[in-house]
Amino acid sequence: MGRPPLPLGTSGKVLFATMPNGMVKARVKFRDHDGQVRLVSKTAASRAAAERALKVELTVRRSPGGTGALTAGTRVSALAEAWLAAEHGWSTGTERTYRSTVRTQVIPAFGRLCLREITPGTVNRALTRIAQRSGSGAAKTARACLSGMFALAIADGAVTSNPVRDAGARLTTTAKKAPRALSVEDARRLVELFHSSPRAAELDVADLVDWMLATGARIGEALALRTGKADGRPLLDLDAGTWEVNATTVRVPKQGMVVQPRTKTAAGWRIVAVPAFAVEMVRRRLASPRRPDTALVFPTPVSGTLRDPTNVSADLRQLFDGFECEACDGAGVRPVAGGRSARCTEGPWSWVTSHTFRKTVATRLDEAGFTPRQVADQLGHANPSMTLDVYFGRHVVSAEAARVLGR
């Protein structure tokens, strides 16, 4: 009976030989993860140096990924780099969030530890500190990043279990506020305020508000509204009264604002029916002689470039705060010490945000008898439960939605 083979990922006895030039070669038989036994060798000026170099090489080869792959001795910082470099299909915003979290939370807490040293207890203690220092939201994002990183380590054979799954840190959050939507009367009054406001006219946001209330689109999706075609189909078919929601606006480092050719999530792609009043509004904008030379329907008023959702949200925020507010006389801000100004939140519309429009659309459709699945399709949600939990207060969505959301 022959000698049993070496176990996978192990080596035999190290042998040494002195070369004619005086250098020392350390060599050993190593059984790779494909079952093949290979001779691995390293040469150095001394026996000890050659042995050290050989051990380093064997440590790398003990992973099924081969040279440069992850091992139990890999530091978490190296795992983080490998995870961020892998292809995940993230949106630009998600990638930006994860990269920031890894840089500011995960690496400071775990970066110098080896994978074999990470235990559920280590994870619990670090996440608890992150929650105390930066809030439970930051800790939850860090946990998601760390769990994804260890999933990659498991796939690469560096570890056999995910310590994040077994970590029992309770990351408490503040109680969720009940969804709040505009009533029919509130929505009508708010639209009147936007269309009668000189500041809103200067910022050119009244039509944008109409569009979001007509479709339930996210602000980034609305700002990405443009003419043109995709796969031979018009993105915005005014004759049919439909809009293919297939993009959003994002800010990319070193590039500026761009139209991301996909929505926030895979479920966000949809074709929605557009109410007649919104179709006519778009026709009017496209036919305006003052319209900049651009395919965008809601570009910046002067330059005709892509708008930043963050800046537009800030503009809307100040308008909401100022509408019918006696405390700030409609300015939306109030003076504070040091000659600065601060947000005024005493107005009757200060609770409204651009996302309130999505909740309003969801509520209108719910009140009209639409199913949770139909409402989720209108908003671009994968799961109706998201629509039910957060917003109540595939393909072409029911045309009845356009009638319900019309004026």
Side-chain angles (χ1 to χ4, degrees), residues 146-361:
L146 198 62
S147 182
M149 289 161 54
F150 270 91
L152 175 62
I154 291 173
D156 212 31
V159 295
T160 59
S161 63
N162 191 331
V164 185
R165 287 202 307 262
D166 298 326
R170 297 181 61 85
L171 304 176
T172 57
T173 58
T174 56
K176 289 186 178 180
K177 295 182 180 180
R180 186 176 181 184
L182 295 165
S183 66
V184 175
E185 293 76 15
D186 285 344
R188 186 179 296 113
R189 177 55 182 160
L190 192 57
V191 168
E192 291 174 355
L193 290 170
F194 269 102
H195 282 277
S196 62
S197 167
R199 179 58 176 163
E202 180 184 354
L203 295 171
D204 190 22
V205 293
D207 289 343
L208 177 64
V209 169
D210 280 343
W211 186 260
M212 288 191 286
L213 282 171
T215 62
R218 300 176 177 91
I219 189 169
E221 294 170 344
L223 293 174
L225 176 65
R226 62 209 186 280
T227 58
K229 293 186 176 182
D231 298 327
R233 303 186 305 271
L235 293 171
L236 184 60
D237 192 334
L238 297 179
D239 293 330
T242 59
W243 170 36
E244 180 176 339
V245 188
N246 72 343
T248 188
T249 55
V250 295
R251 181 174 293 279
V252 178
K254 299 181 181 180
Q255 294 185 38
M257 293 303 304
V258 300
V259 174
Q260 176 181 278
R262 61 182 186 278
T263 51
K264 181 180 178 181
T265 63
W269 181 93
R270 59 205 186 276
I271 299 177
V272 298
V274 181
F277 84 89
V279 170
E280 293 308 311
M281 177 268 290
V282 172
R283 289 188 189 276
R284 170 176 53 78
R285 291 184 66 89
L286 295 180
S288 173
R290 295 177 295 177
R291 179 173 178 268
D293 184 17
T294 176
L296 298 169
V297 176
F298 301 113
T300 53
V302 178
S303 62
T305 55
L306 196 61
R307 295 193 190 192
D308 187 334
T310 302
N311 294 341
V312 176
S313 294
D315 291 335
L316 292 175
R317 170 81 282 146
Q318 188 170 348
L319 287 168
F320 292 140
D321 289 340
F323 284 154
E324 299 182 322
C325 179
E326 297 179 358
C328 64
D329 196 24
V333 294
R334 55 183 176 80
V336 295
R340 296 174 300 170
S341 60
R343 178 186 171 195
C344 177
T345 59
E346 299 182 28
W349 302 99
S350 289
W351 64 273
V352 181
T353 69
S354 62
H355 225 59
T356 304
F357 300 142
R358 277 172 65 78
K359 297 177 182 179
T360 299
V361 167

